[in-house]
Amino acid sequence: MERESMEVDVVIVGAGPSGLATACRLGQLARDNGQELSVVVVEKGAEVGAHILSGAVFEPRALNELFPNWKELGAPLNTEVKDDDIVYFTGADKGAKIPGPFAPKTMHNEGNYIISLGNLCRWLGEQAEALGIEIFPGFPASEVLYHDDGSVKGIATGDFGVDEQGEAKDGYMPGMELHARYTVFSEGCRGNLGKQLQEQFNLRDEADPQHYGLGVKELWEIDPEKHQQGLVIHTAGWPLTESGTGGGGFLYHMEDNLVSLGLIADLNYDNPYVSPFEEMQRWKTHPQIKQYLEGAKRVSYGARAISKGGPQSLPRMTLPGGLLIGCNAGTLNTAKIKGNHTAMKSGMVAAEVLAEAIHSERANDELTEYETRFKESWAYQELVEQRNFGPAQHKLGSFLGAAFAFVDLNIFNGKLPFTLHDRTPDHATLKPAEQCKKIEYPKPDGKLTFNRLDSVFLSNTNHEENQPCHLQLQDASIPIQENLPRYDEPAQRYCPAAVYEVVADEQTGEQKFQINAQNCVHCKTCDIKDPAQNINWVTPEGGGGPTYPNM
């Protein structure tokens, strides 16, 4: 059965903040200029917002530019930040509040909002459709299509109804080909197609390795008497400092007695026994976090990797026939712990360049002017100002790194006459297990702390079981023959969804590597942290994965 094809002006891969900002801006430009543009957004989640997870304290600068009347249009920004605390945990029951004047100025949140990014993306999707944009949820882009000259022709969506052996089942439907003048890759952090394109077109030749963190998040409904709508708390220090891991925690009081909380662990840690999920469960037991959660109810769970390398790690964002934008490229502002506003701006700049190129009857060439325009934007200037924040944290640790950031950002406004680098990729940092202290994490109590399987249940994750495994091993022998003896197979611990296990074969008793792909919440950590770079995350059948509410 042959694929059907569809010709459009622009295909956008991924309905996150950067992709939807691109779509909305293209729709506005077409409307304002009397220009006919056909734009399609494909999204692997069952609905727009289903796979979106973020803290999130949201800076509205890009949204103010995109929709100045967003309040009248009903954008779901309902809780303005009222109080903003930073606390350094010195131990399991101790901590000290950092006075505002001594915190890096990028951590101040006046004028920002506590939001569900998933709900904002749902709203942005509605605005895009009102502007004439077509959105196809449940259709993952599984393949890049090319012209004979090597330029990007578009994408193909994944097939439906293929069994785990790759054979067609009853109801089989081939994917669709979407051919476009230009294709925008806005898949989010560690996008599958974006990773391929960076390698194929050598987009990273002049960039440092990208660096990542894993955010593990929960949503709780708490006692109204403990709820302080608009309160933002960020933490550093314990428990991550015990293993020398970078990162920190967050707790945000949203509307409706909801609290969004979580822990971000830098993925450049060196102890293979570290489990970011278990670190987050321990973090909740600190009195300054636990006080809000006693008697409360956990209502949702999720996890997602973030790109945090800064401008030193940005690849070239243009290629013949395509653009790489948002977190797929790595536009997050690490010093602010925010990337949604910069991702949106990268998409808005992309839309303006695309509209001009299409108006000039161009197609499938490399839009080199995009890099120039993006670097002239406030979003890129933000990244340049905070460029030393991440490398300083990696080299100096969270406490001394924060002190360096205070000097760099508060005193010199990010204009120190040098740029720090971290040229060791996160997958290459692990030490052999025999050189590291084994971490014995406490058992969950089922009230404040939980196990991974019970947590995955709250993410509403579901995959069709009889389909090809979307977690591909390039060499099936490596987990047991190399990773297990050297690192005690760290996939058992870095995955926040209990996807990977080392189990005994029922018949032979030999150890084998088991992949529970149906648990996968699409965080991409395995693709990033596996020390052999042996795991390749690809898109599963459309609509599979989590369905996050209010995340």
Side-chain angles (χ1 to χ4, degrees), residues 40 45 170 259 300 348 368 380 396 432:
V40 168
D170 291 342
V259 164
S300 192
M348 293 156 63
T368 54
Y380 184 77
L396 303 174

Side-chain angles (χ1 to χ4, degrees), residues 9-10 12 22 26 35 37 182-184 323 347 349-359 367:
D9 290 316
V10 180
I12 299 170
T22 306
L26 281 169
Q35 185 180 12
L37 285 178
Y182 298 102
T183 305
V184 179
L323 295 174
V349 174
E352 290 164 4
V353 170
L354 289 162
E356 292 169 9
I358 293 169
H359 181 71
L367 297 171

Side-chain angles (χ1 to χ4, degrees), residues 367-382:
L367 297 171
T368 54
E369 63 268 38
Y370 173 73
E371 291 247 353
T372 302
R373 296 271 283 275
F374 179 64
K375 288 180 177 179
E376 291 172 348
S377 73
W378 55 258
Y380 184 77
Q381 295 308 311
E382 270 195 20

Side-chain angles (χ1 to χ4, degrees), residues 53 55 215-220 250 252 254 259-263 277 280-281 283-284 293 298-303 447-451 455 458 551:
L53 182 143
V216 182
K217 176 183 173 180
E218 295 177 350
L219 191 66
W220 286 67
F250 63 89
Y252 306 149
M254 307 172 70
V259 164
S260 166
L261 59 91
L263 187 76
F277 174 86
M280 190 269 195
Q281 299 305 311
W283 171 80
K284 287 186 294 181
L293 304 182
R298 190 174 69 145
V299 296
S300 192
Y301 166 83
K447 297 178 181 178
L448 178 65
T449 58
F450 302 89
N451 65 38
S455 299
L458 287 181
M551 294 286 270

Side-chain angles (χ1 to χ4, degrees), residues 45 65 78 104 262 303 396 447 453 465 507 516 523:
E65 294 178 6
N78 304 315
L396 303 174
K447 297 178 181 178
L453 289 179
E465 289 194 19
Q507 284 156 3
N516 306 309
C523 73

Side-chain angles (χ1 to χ4, degrees), residues 305-363:
I306 62 172
S307 305
K308 55 183 293 294
Q312 302 94 309
S313 299
L314 276 178
R316 194 171 87 243
M317 298 166 74
T318 66
L319 56 141
L323 295 174
L324 200 66
I325 67 168
C327 290
N328 212 3
T331 57
L332 180 138
N333 184 329
T334 311
K336 284 187 174 181
I337 325 178
K338 294 176 187 64
N340 298 318
H341 65 303
T342 47
M344 288 179 66
K345 184 62 176 178
S346 76
M348 293 156 63
V349 174
E352 290 164 4
V353 170
L354 289 162
E356 292 169 9
I358 293 169
H359 181 71
S360 300
E361 300 295 330
R362 293 165 62 186

Side-chain angles (χ1 to χ4, degrees), residues 29-343:
L29 291 167
R31 176 199 63 197
D32 296 345
N33 299 330
Q35 185 180 12
E36 286 192 16
L37 285 178
S38 53
V39 181
V40 168
V41 181
V42 293
E43 163 57 37
K44 64 184 175 69
E47 63 179 28
V48 173
H51 290 178
I52 299 294
L53 182 143
S54 181
V57 171
F58 180 75
E59 182 174 316
R61 184 171 182 177
L63 183 63
N64 290 338
E65 294 178 6
L66 186 61
F67 291 106
N69 60 335
W70 58 262
K71 289 185 180 180
E72 291 78 6
L73 292 172
L77 278 66
N78 304 315
T79 298
E80 190 167 359
V81 175
K82 294 179 181 176
D83 294 295
D84 198 1
D85 292 342
I86 301 173
V87 184
Y88 190 87
F89 289 171
T90 54
D93 56 3
K94 299 176 182 177
K97 184 177 176 181
I98 308 299
F102 293 99
K105 65 179 182 179
T106 52
M107 298 290 290
H108 299 168
N109 284 295
E110 297 88 350
N112 295 335
Y113 292 80
I114 304 170
I115 69 164
S116 157
L117 184 63
N119 289 342
L120 179 62
C121 285
R122 291 178 177 96
W123 180 83
L124 285 170
E126 293 170 0
Q127 307 313 305
E129 289 179 325
L131 288 161
I133 309 300
E134 292 187 89
I135 301 178
F136 298 159
F139 286 85
S142 63
E143 179 185 351
V144 181
L145 304 175
Y146 298 95
H147 289 285
D148 291 341
D149 64 1
S151 63
V152 172
K153 183 179 183 179
I155 57 95
T157 63
D159 297 340
F160 283 84
V162 178
D163 69 17
E164 57 186 336
Q165 275 75 46
E167 300 294 327
K169 299 185 292 189
D170 291 342
Y172 167 77
M173 288 193 306
M176 173 182 284
E177 292 192 0
L178 293 167
H179 303 163
R181 293 188 182 198
Y182 298 102
T183 305
V184 179
F185 296 91
S186 52
E187 302 164 280
C189 173
R190 196 72 169 194
N192 172 50
L193 301 184
K195 186 176 79 166
Q196 294 176 32
L197 293 166
Q198 289 180 56
E199 182 175 345
Q200 179 164 340
F201 290 93
N202 301 313
L203 303 182
R204 302 206 62 83
D205 278 1
E206 298 180 10
D208 288 357
Q210 186 57 265
H211 294 285
Y212 301 91
L214 173 61
V216 182
K217 176 183 173 180
E218 295 177 350
L219 191 66
W220 286 67
E221 184 176 355
I222 70 169
D223 184 341
E225 293 187 2
K226 299 178 180 179
H227 188 252
Q228 302 175 50
Q229 185 169 343
L231 173 62
V232 165
I233 300 173
H234 288 110
T235 76
W238 185 90
L240 294 175
T241 45
E242 290 189 353
S243 62
T245 302
F250 63 89
L251 189 148
Y252 306 149
H253 288 245
M254 307 172 70
E255 61 268 23
D256 300 324
N257 299 318
L258 293 175
V259 164
S260 166
L261 59 91
L263 187 76
I264 298 171
D266 291 353
L267 289 180
N268 70 328
Y269 63 81
D270 59 13
N271 185 336
Y273 292 112
V274 166
S275 165
F277 174 86
E278 300 290 357
E279 294 290 337
M280 190 269 195
Q281 299 305 311
R282 281 211 299 164
W283 171 80
K284 287 186 294 181
T285 66
H286 194 284
Q288 296 208 37
I289 304 301
K290 182 180 178 180
Q291 63 176 321
Y292 296 108
L293 304 182
E294 292 174 326
K297 178 184 178 183
R298 190 174 69 145
V299 296
S300 192
Y301 166 83
R304 187 69 170 96
I306 62 172
S307 305
K308 55 183 293 294
Q312 302 94 309
S313 299
L314 276 178
R316 194 171 87 243
M317 298 166 74
T318 66
L319 56 141
L323 295 174
L324 200 66
I325 67 168
C327 290
N328 212 3
T331 57
L332 180 138
N333 184 329
T334 311
K336 284 187 174 181
I337 325 178
K338 294 176 187 64
N340 298 318
H341 65 303
T342 47

